[in-house]
């Protein structure tokens, strides 16, 4: 048995819940695959970013979900959006194999990062905003870009699991779909098509180990904001796992969705996670109970993205969660 501190569990509320605030139908012209929050700056409140198969990134006001502007430039569907922790810039990746870095407020392009075909999937800035990690798809690697120069500074390659043979037809199964940074920025976890999760020591650019337990694609994963060891993962096998990512231990499994779990995010207070699924629902999970406490059924098609709003900003009125779907809509919820 592996024991480690989970202080966040003490923060769990007795009656956490989601309340629907607003939904925007036809927020895009096609499926909405990705969503993230842009942190507040000294001059404006937080914003919501969405990316769609319609090749655009859209910027929305925080509580009203009013469309502020549309960012164009990709020539295929947008697979991931991510925002710098300072809130000034964001990045979008597309099936066109480009990453576009842009100024959130002016919409101007800052950098365009190129990768071979289908080598660009989910992206995340590190907690300090110094590195952009990009899941490298079929290259079975994660690319690290320096955000001051936009130069490629490292490629973290995923080794075959122990016991597999070089002749195994497993190259495509190492297709890298998702990435997550630990809150201290020292670890990077990535999820692959075959269900394995790889953990890297970023300062040493060294592979540490695999986490096992899923048997289908891991499309989303996120670390606890309060515990650099605790990692939450969502998989097409219908389960959400909690890992001690340092001790290589599976410490909990949460089940309840009727189909693939496509996305997961952890609340800023560390007491809950939200998930979205191809069963068309969004679920809220109480981590102290390791159980689903609420199911939201706003969407009419599979839910590709969920994102809790980070704390900060003068107009922030409590917690917020956003979700996006193949049904082209965005839903916004109060989290309390």
């Amino acid at each position: 048995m592996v024991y480690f501190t989970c202080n966040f569990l003490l923060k769990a509320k007795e009656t956490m819940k989601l309340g629907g605030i607003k939904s925007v139908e036809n927020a895009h012209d096609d499926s909405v695959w990705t969503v993230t929050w842009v942190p507040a700056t000294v001059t404006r409140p937080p914003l919501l970013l969405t990316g769609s198969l319609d090749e655009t990134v859209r910027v929305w006001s925080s509580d009203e979900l009013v469309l502020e502007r549309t960012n164009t430039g990709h020539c295929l569907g947008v697979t991931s959006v991510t925002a710098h922790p300072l809130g000034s810039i964001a990045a979008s990746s597309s099936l066109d194999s480009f990453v576009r870095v842009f100024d959130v407020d002016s919409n101007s392009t800052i950098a365009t990062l190129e990768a071979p075909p289908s080598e660009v999937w989910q992206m995340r800035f590190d907690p300090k905003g110094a590195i952009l990690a990009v899941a490298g798809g079929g290259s079975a690697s994660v690319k690290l870009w320096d955000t001051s120069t936009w130069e490629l500074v490292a490629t973290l390659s995923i080794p075959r699991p122990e016991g597999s043979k070089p002749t195994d037809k497993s190259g495509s199964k190492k297709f890298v779909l998702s990435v997550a940074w630990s809150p201290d920025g020292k670890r990077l976890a990535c999820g692959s098509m075959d269900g394995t999760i790889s953990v890297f020591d970023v300062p040493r650019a060294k592979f540490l180990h695999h986490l096992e337990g899923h048997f289908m694609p891991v499309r989303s994963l996120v670390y606890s904001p309060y515990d650099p060891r605790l990692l939450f993962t969502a998989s097409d096998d219908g389960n959400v796992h909690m890992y001690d990512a340092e001790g290589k231990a599976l410490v909990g499994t949460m089940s309840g969705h009727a189909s693939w779990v496509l996305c997961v995010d952890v609340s800023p207070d560390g007491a809950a996670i939200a998930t979205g699924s191809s069963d068309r629902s969004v679920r809220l999970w109480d981590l102290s109970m390791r159980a689903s406490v609420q199911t939201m059924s706003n969407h009419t098609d599979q839910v590709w993205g969920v994102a809790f709003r980070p704390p900060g900003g003068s107009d922030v009125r409590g917690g917020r969660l956003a979700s996006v779907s193949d049904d082209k809509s965005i839903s916004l919820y109060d989290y309390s």
Side-chain angles (χ1 to χ4, degrees):
M1 181 69 72
V2 176
Y3 295 95
F4 63 105
T5 305
C6 292
N7 291 331
F8 74 94
L9 293 178
L10 302 177
K11 300 172 181 287
K13 301 167 184 171
E14 292 182 4
T15 55
M16 61 176 63
K17 66 179 188 297
L18 295 174
I21 296 176
K22 188 177 179 68
S23 289
V24 178
E25 306 298 327
N26 297 309
H28 281 268
D29 298 330
D30 208 331
S31 299
V32 191
W33 275 6
T34 177
V35 60
T36 196
W37 291 93
V38 183
T41 66
V42 293
T43 58
R44 60 149 173 79
L47 298 168
L48 190 70
L49 277 186
T50 55
S52 168
L53 214 50
D54 69 8
E55 305 171 7
T56 69
V57 175
R58 294 191 169 175
V59 184
W60 307 84
S61 63
S62 190
D63 270 306
E64 295 77 22
L65 289 187
V66 173
L67 180 62
E68 301 273 334
R69 52 197 158 274
T70 299
N71 189 306
T72 59
H74 287 298
C75 60
L76 285 172
V78 177
T79 56
S80 181
V81 289
T82 186
H84 191 279
L86 294 181
S88 54
I89 64 173
S92 56
S93 64
S94 164
L95 295 170
D96 65 12
S97 302
F98 287 94
V99 174
R100 300 183 68 250
V101 185
F102 58 96
D103 182 288
V104 173
D105 296 310
S106 70
N107 241 4
S108 58
T109 300
I110 294 170
T112 302
L113 315 178
E114 186 175 359
S118 75
E119 302 296 305
V120 181
W121 289 86
Q122 195 180 76
M123 312 170 297
R124 291 289 182 263
F125 286 98
D126 80 312
K128 294 182 179 178
I131 299 173
L132 177 65
V134 180
S139 68
S141 67
V142 177
K143 308 282 200 280
L144 303 183
W145 300 81
D146 184 312
T147 62
S148 61
T149 63
W150 297 111
E151 295 292 325
L152 182 66
V153 292
T155 297
L156 306 178
S157 296
I158 297 171
R160 285 187 301 272
E162 293 179 11
S164 67
K165 301 175 182 178
T167 54
D168 287 350
K169 295 179 180 179
S170 58
S172 62
K173 293 182 179 180
K174 281 299 167 209
F175 196 103
V176 185
L177 294 166
S178 52
V179 289
W181 289 92
S182 63
D184 58 11
K186 294 180 180 179
R187 298 287 186 263
L188 186 75
C190 60
S192 298
M193 191 76 80
D194 66 352
T196 58
I197 296 145
S198 306
V199 181
F200 291 89
D201 178 323
V202 178
R204 294 190 295 160
K206 180 183 178 183
F207 169 78
L208 295 178
H209 48 252
H210 291 295
L211 302 175
E212 298 181 346
H214 289 301
F215 300 97
M216 294 179 72
V218 178
R219 301 180 190 272
S220 181
L221 66 177
V222 62
Y223 276 89
S224 164
Y226 294 105
D227 190 334
R229 299 175 67 113
L230 190 59
L231 180 70
F232 305 100
T233 61
S235 171
D236 286 9
D237 62 21
N239 297 316
V240 179
H241 284 176
M242 298 168 56
Y243 289 97
D244 172 0
E246 293 293 295
K248 298 194 293 183
L250 175 63
V251 296
T253 297
M254 290 175 282
S255 304
H257 281 295
S259 189
W260 302 354
V261 189
L262 301 173
C263 51
V264 60
D265 197 22
V266 61
S267 61
D269 62 7
I273 58 170
T275 54
S277 169
S278 56
D279 69 9
R280 307 177 183 182
S281 73
V282 172
R283 281 181 179 253
L284 182 69
W285 307 76
D286 184 327
L287 294 177
S288 64
M289 298 191 298
R290 296 184 187 177
S292 173
V293 292
Q294 194 172 7
T295 302
M296 307 297 285
S297 302
N298 300 44
H299 293 292
T300 59
D301 209 332
Q302 51 193 7
V303 180
W304 279 105
V306 290
F308 282 100
R309 186 169 66 186
S314 58
D315 82 327
V316 174
R317 298 186 287 274
R320 294 287 182 268
L321 176 74
S323 62
V324 296
S325 166
D326 268 342
D327 66 12
K328 310 178 189 178
S329 76
I330 306 168
S331 285
L332 184 67
Y333 318 86
D334 173 74
Y335 166 70
S336 60

